[in-house]
Amino acid sequence: MRAVTWQGRRDVRVETVPDPRIEEPTDVIVRVTSTGLCGSDLHLYEPLGPFLDPGDILGHEPMGIVEEIGGAVTALKPGDRVVVPFNVSCGDCFMCDQGLQSQCETTQVTEYGTGAALFGYTKLYGQVPGGQAEYLRVPFGNTLPVKVEHGPPDDRYVYLSDVLPTAWQAVEYASVPRDGTVVVLGLGPVGDMAARIALHRGAGRVIGVDLVPERLNRAAAHGVIPLDWRRYGKDLPEAVAEYTGGRGADAVIDAVGMEAHGSPVAKGAQWAVGLLPDAVAQPLMEHAGVDRLAALHMAMRLVRRGGTVSVSGVYGGALDPMPLLTMFDRQIQLRMGQANVLRWVPDILPLLDDEDVLGVDHFATHAMPLEEAPKAYAMFQEKADGMVKTLLKP
């Protein structure tokens, strides 16, 4: 089969690799019909390279058709249409029973002390072959895949793999009061969708902050108040204060993560570590890594006293400095974590009908053949051609 493989820093290639096969009685093989390119994939494109090996298959946002099932699979049959959550979770352990599929005790990567395994996402999360490929082996076939109906286009359902539940959890964790104000930092796929979900769930005002005009305009078209970070810079809290009677936002969602602009020293350190041999770079990143924290520190300034900061953007630093004195004094509540996909699917699935209240049918800005994945990665990294969300088509 053809698959997107990591070969080095800013080097992904589409190569012919062995087809996946049934390895356990509960496995299913899915023929991928659409697979997303995620902002988290850009972390693999650069800073997390030391935890990848050449040839690793990328991608964690697939959906498709069940082609083959293991002997113990009873919940699916060949021909069923499914979305594959990015968490590899068993559905039966203590953590899964708590709705914490991202902490699944069956697939936790104990070697690195990390949570549940993820499709297509480094040794830190199990080095499981990913879904930017023609076929995907999916374990836990009775409990992990989300069965959806035939008929509507893939765009209707594919975001159940990551974008929708990640954005839903970001809003849930933000605890936005009804008619309250929430600021969304970063209007990439998750930030854009989180803004839409916040409005749908009753937020009175959603302020979206980004550097890219196309993303600001796209959010504004859905009722978001756009603020250009390039214009306001360090004065952004004053701009938000004008909308909130000087108090600050009730909640802030950081949908940026380690890719934040405005942190040149940390950016340089990340780049330098990425050039080191893996044997040197891995322990540095595990025990001495520092993220670019401009977005997270700004979130602490934008939120009101007693407000909540919800972090959905991925961070990976082990020694990130945090303004704990300020956070304690202002009684800021902080929630974060990988999305627990299956926890939120029952809330989201009823919204994916012909009314399309979240605008999923036209959410993708680009659809490209799988063979053009290297071009798509480069475009996404450069935020070129107004790219916000790309679906690759095997």
Side-chain angles (χ1 to χ4, degrees):
M1 70 172 182
R2 301 289 281 170
V4 179
T5 64
W6 184 91
Q7 299 296 334
R9 183 175 179 271
R10 292 201 178 196
D11 183 4
V12 300
R13 305 175 197 172
V14 181
E15 297 188 323
T16 299
V17 301
D19 289 353
R21 58 184 179 82
I22 298 290
E23 298 178 13
E24 300 291 340
T26 53
D27 289 349
V28 301
I29 302 298
V30 174
R31 175 174 56 83
V32 177
T33 56
S34 292
T35 183
L37 176 56
C38 178
S40 297
D41 291 325
L42 296 183
H43 304 326
L44 311 183
Y45 203 49
E46 290 198 272
L48 294 181
F51 293 97
L52 290 157
D53 291 327
D56 281 355
I57 299 174
L58 305 181
H60 57 272
E61 298 186 351
M63 72 170 293
I65 305 298
V66 174
E67 291 284 301
E68 185 180 356
I69 62 174
V73 175
T74 58
L76 296 171
K77 63 183 185 302
D80 283 344
R81 190 184 193 195
V82 296
V83 179
V84 182
F86 74 92
N87 317 117
V88 184
S89 59
C90 71
D92 294 319
C93 69
F94 172 84
M95 289 295 179
C96 287
D97 286 345
Q98 308 305 306
L100 294 170
Q101 290 86 6
S102 67
Q103 310 301 321
C104 173
E105 291 177 325
T106 303
T107 71
Q108 282 178 13
V109 186
T110 55
E111 178 183 356
Y112 290 99
T114 50
L118 309 177
F119 285 104
Y121 216 78
T122 82
K123 297 173 186 175
L124 289 172
Y125 289 98
Q127 209 167 19
V128 181
Q132 290 173 1
E134 292 182 308
Y135 294 91
L136 177 67
R137 170 185 167 262
V138 181
F140 310 112
N142 287 319
T143 53
L144 181 57
V146 178
K147 185 177 177 180
V148 296
E149 65 176 339
H150 288 276
D154 281 3
D155 298 55
R156 181 75 56 90
Y157 299 118
V158 67
Y159 307 114
L160 279 172
S161 61
D162 182 352
V163 174
L164 280 165
T166 298
W168 192 277
Q169 179 170 297
V171 175
E172 180 75 18
Y173 281 9
S175 300
V176 186
R178 187 157 194 88
D179 298 325
T181 297
V182 58
V183 174
V184 180
L185 295 177
L187 294 171
V190 169
D192 186 333
M193 185 57 73
R196 301 183 190 194
I197 289 170
L199 287 169
H200 172 74
R201 294 182 57 174
R205 184 185 292 112
V206 177
I207 300 171
V209 180
D210 207 292
L211 302 160
V212 182
E214 292 88 350
R215 295 184 176 191
L216 290 162
N217 293 337
R218 173 180 162 106
H222 286 87
V224 175
I225 299 169
L227 294 181
D228 190 332
W229 200 330
R230 295 171 304 172
R231 174 185 173 186
Y232 292 101
K234 294 181 180 180
D235 295 328
L236 190 59
E238 286 70 30
V240 170
E242 292 181 9
Y243 288 99
T244 59
R247 183 177 294 120
D250 297 299
V252 178
I253 294 171
D254 173 5
V256 178
M258 67 172 73
E259 290 294 318
H261 293 261
S263 306
V265 175
K267 178 181 180 181
Q270 284 181 352
W271 183 84
V273 169
L275 298 179
L276 295 172
D278 287 356
V280 178
Q282 284 187 19
L284 276 175
M285 293 186 70
E286 281 185 80
H287 305 295
V290 177
D291 287 311
R292 296 149 71 180
L293 296 174
L296 186 54
H297 285 179
M298 179 58 74
M300 302 301 172
R301 296 181 60 199
L302 297 177
V303 72
R304 64 166 170 80
R305 290 179 178 271
T308 302
V309 172
S310 171
V311 181
S312 61
V314 174
Y315 287 97
L319 293 178
D320 289 339
M322 293 294 293
L324 289 175
L325 187 152
T326 299
M327 294 167 64
F328 182 86
D329 174 69
R330 300 185 66 225
Q331 203 165 332
I332 294 172
Q333 302 171 77
L334 180 63
R335 294 199 71 182
M336 65 183 75
Q338 296 279 10
N340 305 295
V341 173
L342 292 176
R343 165 67 180 83
W344 309 115
V345 165
D347 295 309
I348 300 167
L349 197 53
L351 303 178
L352 305 182
D353 57 14
D354 289 342
E355 189 177 350
D356 194 19
V357 295
L358 299 178
V360 296
D361 285 353
H362 304 287
F363 189 70
T365 54
H366 295 71
M368 301 171 70
L370 186 73
E371 295 292 331
E372 294 185 12
K375 176 182 177 182
Y377 269 80
M379 289 175 63
F380 196 27
Q381 176 74 7
E382 299 300 323
K383 300 178 176 63
D385 192 37
M387 182 178 283
V388 177
K389 188 61 183 179
T390 296
L391 295 179
L392 300 173
K393 302 289 186 174

